[in-house]
Amino acid sequence: MSYKQTEFWIVDKFWEYEKQRQFIKDAALWIKKGEVVAFPTETVYGLGANALEEAAVKKIFEAKGRPSDNPLIVHIADTSQLSELVEEVPQVAQQLIKHFWPGPLTIILKKKQSVAESVTAGLDTVAVRMPNHPVALELLRDAGVPVAAPSANLSGKPSPTSGEHVYHDLQGRIAAILDGGQTGVGLESTVLDCTKDVPVLYRPGGATITEIEAIVGPIKVDPSLISKEEIPMSPGMKYTHYSPNGSFVLVQDQKKLVRLLAEAKASGKRTGVLTTEENRDKYEADVVVSCGKRDDLRSVANHLYESLRKFDLEEAEIIFSETFPNEELGIAIMNRLEKAAGGQIL
Ligand code: TXA
Ligand code: MG
């Protein structure tokens, strides 16, 4: 379905509370009527539809151009909604929920029949999370149903961290966008399978392994996150993602990066570099984008996708990127950068 006009509602001005309250109610009404709307969460923007209605969920896949074998995360506002979605909540999951929700941890559990088939892409499990964002929670409460929502970008593009990003990708393809300003974490939630004896990490994200292990002890990591030879347990992790239009290459060594940039420039290409505040003066490139401070990886996570999008706006043809330490939030940052680079690291 195409929409002549996608409603664009700004909801981050506290002095316009009543008006914004109405926008959120209107968005919830769209969801109740089986349409899709984009909304802010603490991680990235989501594209939501009623998770119990097959036809509504299908519209999400259509709007994004998402492969149908890639399951969605179901968003809830209250833990009491879990009983509509899953058979049981094992004890580890209960501990994690108590500690992390609302927040950037998605938990995979055994699903109930009521969940629309296309939400789970035919799997017998369902991914669930409670977002930590006032607009998302209000929308979920008003809608009164669990809401399936992937990130609100066109499939393959960086996830949206502002209402403008969503508008750029999906205007004319969805009913409405709730613009709550820039998101906080900036990377997607951590996805953890809690149907096994020991929880398994499928996607690193806003909640770090250290934080999770502090609550439930040692967890396992999907082997595909360590070796490129393995097939990911989580269908979405096998797709290339987040890529700018130009070619995108990760370079570990700074001297090498400087040399590669000079070579690319000499060959007449429009060059880009993804760097950090500490290093931004060290490079000669047509498009220099700093994604944050190295000594504050939260700032890097927060600006990463916005930074990747800038290379397209500035039409960079070849982009070299710095790398980050593979620890704490750096694990999620490197996971996204490696995907953007299609695994290419020099
Ligand atoms: O932060 C987030 O998680 C954002 C916001 C909007 O909540 N959502 C998000 O959704 O990132 P999406 O669709 O872009 O990513 C969902 C990931 C995919 O990699 C998908 O394959 C995986 O979760 N997933 C969903 N259900 C699953 C299941 N039952 N088993 C394994 N993986 C699953
Ligand atoms: Mg996504």
Side-chain angles (χ1 to χ4, degrees):
M1 174 166 178
S2 80
Y3 298 82
K4 275 213 194 70
Q5 200 194 334
T6 295
E7 301 279 359
F8 192 87
W9 292 317
I10 292 175
V11 287
D12 69 342
K13 309 277 180 278
F14 67 88
W15 59 92
E16 295 197 334
Y17 180 78
E18 286 308 323
K19 194 162 128 197
Q20 297 178 172
R21 185 78 200 85
Q22 191 56 48
F23 288 152
I24 296 172
K25 277 193 180 141
D26 292 345
L29 211 59
W30 278 119
I31 289 183
K32 285 191 218 175
K33 284 198 253 173
E35 294 297 334
V36 294
V37 299
F39 60 96
T41 81
E42 82 282 30
T43 57
V44 301
Y45 276 72
L47 184 61
N50 182 351
L52 307 177
E53 200 189 313
E54 187 65 35
V57 175
K58 286 227 162 87
K59 290 182 188 167
I60 295 178
F61 286 86
E62 258 169 56
K64 277 188 63 116
R66 182 178 176 107
S68 61
D69 70 342
N70 190 3
L72 309 177
I73 296 171
V74 178
H75 296 65
I76 58 175
D78 194 294
T79 47
S80 66
Q81 290 176 285
L82 275 172
S83 58
E84 285 179 80
L85 302 169
V86 305
E87 290 293 345
E88 52 163 359
V89 185
Q91 220 206 323
V92 271
Q94 286 179 31
Q95 285 173 299
L96 290 165
I97 286 168
K98 202 165 154 213
H99 186 82
F100 286 96
W101 284 10
L105 179 68
T106 292
I107 295 179
I108 294 179
L109 297 165
K110 283 253 177 298
K111 78 158 195 176
K112 266 195 177 154
Q113 283 308 317
S114 51
V115 183
E117 191 66 24
S118 50
V119 168
T120 60
L123 300 173
D124 59 2
T125 55
V126 61
V128 191
R129 91 174 190 98
M130 189 189 290
N132 188 13
H133 192 290
V135 173
L137 290 170
E138 206 163 289
L139 175 72
L140 292 168
R141 280 192 289 265
D142 287 345
V145 290
V147 169
S151 48
N153 49 289
L154 280 178
S155 216
K157 288 285 139 200
S159 299
T161 53
S162 73
E164 287 96 84
H165 295 164
V166 180
Y167 186 80
H168 177 272
D169 279 15
L170 298 175
Q171 56 157 312
R173 303 173 73 93
I174 59 176
I177 298 167
L178 287 168
D179 177 3
Q182 196 169 354
T183 59
V185 178
L187 296 180
E188 301 86 344
S189 62
T190 302
V191 176
L192 192 70
D193 187 345
C194 287
T195 64
K196 317 272 191 235
D197 290 338
V198 177
V200 186
L201 179 80
Y202 285 174
R203 179 176 73 180
T208 67
I209 298 177
T210 315
E211 287 164 345
I212 294 169
E213 291 190 329
I215 306 302
V216 292
I219 60 167
K220 290 185 181 160
V221 172
D222 180 353
S224 75
L225 292 172
I226 297 155
S227 155
K228 308 264 165 319
E229 315 295 300
E230 306 281 336
I231 296 169
M233 303 290 288
S234 187
M237 297 297 283
K238 69 176 185 270
Y239 295 105
T240 312
H241 248 104
Y242 318 117
S243 310
N245 295 329
S247 65
F248 185 78
V249 185
L250 297 177
V251 188
Q252 255 156 353
D253 179 72
Q254 198 168 55
K255 285 207 188 91
K256 191 170 187 174
L257 205 164
V258 170
R259 200 179 68 235
L260 288 167
L261 265 177
E263 282 169 17
K265 219 176 161 82
S267 76
K269 291 247 169 67
R270 189 166 163 77
T271 55
V273 62
L274 182 62
T275 177
T276 40
E277 286 306 301
E278 290 88 340
N279 297 331
R280 64 178 310 155
D281 297 330
K282 299 194 174 121
Y283 307 107
E284 292 269 339
D286 298 306
V287 188
V288 178
V289 180
S290 163
C291 58
K293 285 208 187 105
R294 256 174 197 278
D295 70 1
D296 176 15
L297 288 181
R298 276 175 311 180
S299 74
V300 173
N302 185 233
H303 296 291
L304 190 67
Y305 291 146
E306 178 193 13
S307 303
L308 288 172
R309 280 175 182 261
K310 278 190 191 144
F311 294 110
D312 287 351
L313 295 175
E314 304 266 343
E315 299 181 339
E317 293 170 292
I318 178 155
I319 305 138
F320 299 100
S321 169
E322 293 178 2
T323 59
F324 293 87
N326 237 319
E327 56 195 37
E328 303 299 328
L329 207 47
I331 297 177
I333 293 169
M334 279 308 290
N335 171 266
R336 307 307 192 269
L337 284 176
E338 281 174 25
K339 287 207 173 301
Q344 275 200 84
I345 305 191
L346 297 179

